[in-house]
Amino acid sequence: MVFGRHFSSLIALLYTSAGVLGHPACEKAPAGDCTYPSLINATSEQLQDGLNKGCFTSADLVKAYVERIHEVNSTLHMVLEINPDAIQIAQSLDKERKNGNTRGPLHGLPILVKDLIGTNDKMETAAGSHALVGAKVPEDSTVVAKLRESGAIILGKTSLSEWANFRSSDSSDGWNARGGQTYAAYIQNQTPSGSSSGSAVSADLGLALATLGTETYGSILWPSEKSNIVGIKPTTGLTSRHMAIPISERQDTIGPMARTVKDAAMVLQAIVGQDPKDNYTLASPFATGFPDYVAACKSSGLQGRRIGIPRNVVSHYGGKDNPVVSAFEATISEIEAAGATIVEDANFTAYEESIYSQMHSKMTALDFISNIADYLSGLKTNPNNIYSLNDIRHFTQHEPLEDYPDRDTFLWDLTLSVGLNNTSPEYWPMYQEVLRVGGDGGILGALTRQNLDAVILPTAVAPEIPAMVGSPVITVPLGVLPEGTPELKDRGVVYSAPGIPFGISFLGAKWSEEQLIGMAYAFEQRTLKRDQLRRIIEPNTELRDVL
Ligand SMILES: *[C@@H]1O[C@H](CO)[C@@H](O)[C@H](O)[C@H]1NC(C)=O
Ligand SMILES: *[C@@H]1O[C@H](CO)[C@@H](O)[C@H](O)[C@H]1NC(C)=O
Ligand SMILES: *[C@@H]1O[C@H](CO)[C@@H](O)[C@H](O)[C@H]1NC(C)=O
Ligand SMILES: *[C@@H]1O[C@H](CO)[C@@H](O)[C@H](O)[C@H]1NC(C)=O
Ligand SMILES: *[C@@H]1O[C@H](CO)[C@@H](O)[C@H](O)[C@H]1NC(C)=O
């Protein structure tokens, strides 16, 4: 791309220690039939192939990824800490493989997880805040336990917008007190968006096979689009939230962020499951077996699908002069060419109401008061005695490293001033209102009225309505902002400028991930937009450098 070249001259000046682009995809080993996939776009299948042939080990893979993290972290600040036991864990998984036991497609592959997701190991689980440093979970979060069972290596913890962006009215996306400001890799000082900021940047740059993020409202989908990757926001309850730092039990969900739909599906497969410790998972229709999300990755995934466009949502976002909307419009013919029927009249009938109603944010706030107290009461150690939102707020306002008052605690102040929580009688009617607006007046009504398999939207406007009802969304890369896009900058972070990636989202009914993955895969394979974009910074270390 034109601006890719434009910015690459900047790179040479600004990022002399980090490499730029253009590694060969694979290099032949001097002997044997070994190939070494370039880690910026290596898939789990390529990595398993090399591991099974003995071309490299999981310990080598850990070494290479750790080197790559160190190459870029001083600029992008995307990883908070590396698991000090990662090499040892890799060695024991290498031994298992040597003995003929591989647990599945993630065996021996490193994965990074957001600092909200509990790990009962030497690492912190602290939402990027100093308040929870030293606080220990009594056991792994269920998703981490499942990843470990599937043979994945938990390589480290990724950076995020502090407290999953539920703190300030005037902070910046991707900032937290422990790791500072996270940046994405496509232009200088690029917003990573949030709150799963470091997870997105790390998946993009090949610092692990894939990463986990969490979403209440946009926190997987938005950072995924800004880092040109695939993000799956699962139905609330498809993946257990046990021992993950919460915002809202009715909305929170944990999902994969990866470079390809298939790798995201593979990670999703490993973390789904019913879990008595998170009873929202018991509502899934999969008590007797979950779908095969990897097998759903078929190039025929769009064939015969009915896909709606909520025109009122798109036109509220922008007209054809908006480059994201025009790229979205231009890709509709690709979806039709892949065998889908486009249904234009799939408006979210209560969308205008949702824009002016404060019910959704109020409901989220009242869940947070109750849910964070529950989480804190379950910690094994809690050195700063943080048991409530009041305690968090007090700590944050008195700890100089938390950058208060320059970054305020507005959302907590507001939440506490309401004097209610999700057990208050006032909560229920509020929640029912949110379900109506997001459900019959939103995604669910649009799907049933027109008998649709999915609706599509620019990812910028995809998250809110599904957040209200806990329904799933997948974002896939679509393009970049063109030359001439005005620069929008705040606190030194660039939110809009030429070269920043954006995505397209597929939204479906609850528990419809299998169908959505099929559609997203077919779209990805047809368009292959991810490989067309250019970064200004990439790590250089490859497997061959550590062998
Ligand atoms: C992987 O990335 C390299 C370097 O950017 C590129 O040349 C190659 O075509 C990519 N391979 C795939 C399978 O996308
Ligand atoms: C990455 O940089 C941040 C900010 O300096 C730092 O807090 C973090 O520990 C670094 N991560 C690693 C793995 O060194
Ligand atoms: C889940 O458990 C909580 C308390 O443990 C209870 O209040 C709630 O009704 C349960 N929800 C469902 C859907 O079973
Ligand atoms: C859907 O929204 C568009 C854009 O706001 C509007 O022009 C159209 O009339 C709406 N369709 C229906 C059936 O309400
Ligand atoms: C929620 O509100 C109830 C009723 O006011 C109160 O008893 C309870 O302590 C509150 N819970 C939290 C976590 O604030």
Side-chain angles (χ1 to χ4, degrees), residues 249 279-280 282-283:
E249 61 182 286
N279 63 8
Y280 284 70
L282 306 180

Side-chain angles (χ1 to χ4, degrees), residues 425-481:
E426 291 87 343
Y427 177 87
W428 196 251
M430 208 178 276
Y431 177 47
Q432 295 309 304
E433 177 67 4
V434 169
L435 286 181
R436 179 185 67 78
V437 169
D440 188 56
I443 175 70
L444 305 182
L447 291 169
T448 52
R449 272 191 298 277
Q450 301 282 6
N451 191 27
L452 303 175
D453 296 298
V455 310
I456 49 171
L457 280 173
T459 297
V461 286
E464 179 169 21
I465 300 297
M468 294 175 165
V469 292
S471 62
V473 184
I474 303 183
T475 179
V476 183
L478 181 61
V480 286
L481 296 179

Side-chain angles (χ1 to χ4, degrees), residues 22-25 38 40-41 46 531:
H23 318 291
S38 74
I40 196 88
N41 56 9
Q46 290 171 327
D531 291 338

Side-chain angles (χ1 to χ4, degrees), residues 369-401:
I369 291 207
S370 302
N371 294 155
I372 194 67
D374 264 358
Y375 173 83
L376 295 168
S377 71
L379 291 174
K380 190 169 68 180
T381 59
N382 192 340
N384 294 322
N385 295 309
I386 305 289
Y387 292 103
S388 66
L389 177 54
N390 252 321
D391 294 342
I392 296 172
R393 179 169 172 267
H394 185 265
F395 180 96
T396 303
Q397 294 185 347
H398 291 84
E399 165 55 64
L401 293 170

Side-chain angles (χ1 to χ4, degrees), residues 320 322-332 478-480 502 504:
K320 293 224 171 151
N322 175 326
V324 177
V325 172
S326 69
F328 175 81
E329 300 295 347
T331 210
I332 290 170
L478 181 61
V480 286
F502 57 81
I504 180 173

Side-chain angles (χ1 to χ4, degrees), residues 147-340:
L147 281 178
R148 292 198 213 268
E149 278 162 31
S150 72
I153 300 159
I154 307 300
L155 182 62
K157 288 285 179 73
T158 56
S159 202
L160 72 168
S161 310
E162 193 175 80
W163 291 105
N165 208 22
F166 200 82
R167 167 185 156 176
S168 287
S169 63
D170 67 351
S171 190
S172 43
D173 282 344
W175 181 89
N176 65 83
R178 281 172 53 226
Q181 180 64 51
T182 312
Y183 296 102
Y186 290 82
I187 66 163
Q188 202 200 347
N189 296 334
Q190 186 201 325
T191 179
S193 190
S195 68
S196 307
S197 318
S199 294
V201 176
S202 300
D204 178 38
L205 290 176
L207 309 181
L209 169 72
T211 62
L212 292 188
T214 70
E215 172 147 340
T216 307
Y217 170 5
S219 282
I220 288 174
L221 297 169
W222 283 329
S224 294
E225 81 159 338
K226 293 288 187 267
S227 276
N228 191 27
I229 60 165
V230 174
I232 301 181
K233 180 242 171 181
T235 307
T236 297
L238 188 72
T239 53
S240 169
R241 290 83 47 86
H242 176 61
M243 279 300 141
I245 297 174
I247 293 181
S248 160
E249 61 182 286
R250 288 175 179 81
Q251 300 174 77
D252 294 351
T253 182
I254 299 176
M257 301 167 77
R259 294 177 291 276
T260 67
V261 174
K262 198 175 205 177
D263 282 345
M266 236 170 247
V267 174
L268 182 67
Q269 197 80 53
I271 61 173
V272 298
Q274 295 197 322
D275 177 12
K277 292 169 181 162
D278 174 358
N279 63 8
Y280 284 70
T281 62
L282 306 180
S284 94
F286 307 127
T288 58
F290 279 74
D292 187 336
Y293 297 114
V294 182
C297 295
K298 291 201 199 98
S299 45
S300 60
L302 282 163
Q303 189 68 47
R305 297 296 187 186
R306 282 174 59 81
I307 297 185
I309 302 176
R311 278 291 165 201
N312 62 334
V313 179
V314 177
S315 63
H316 183 268
Y317 175 56
K320 293 224 171 151
D321 54 335
N322 175 326
V324 177
V325 172
S326 69
F328 175 81
E329 300 295 347
T331 210
I332 290 170
S333 60
E334 289 281 352
I335 292 175
E336 284 181 307

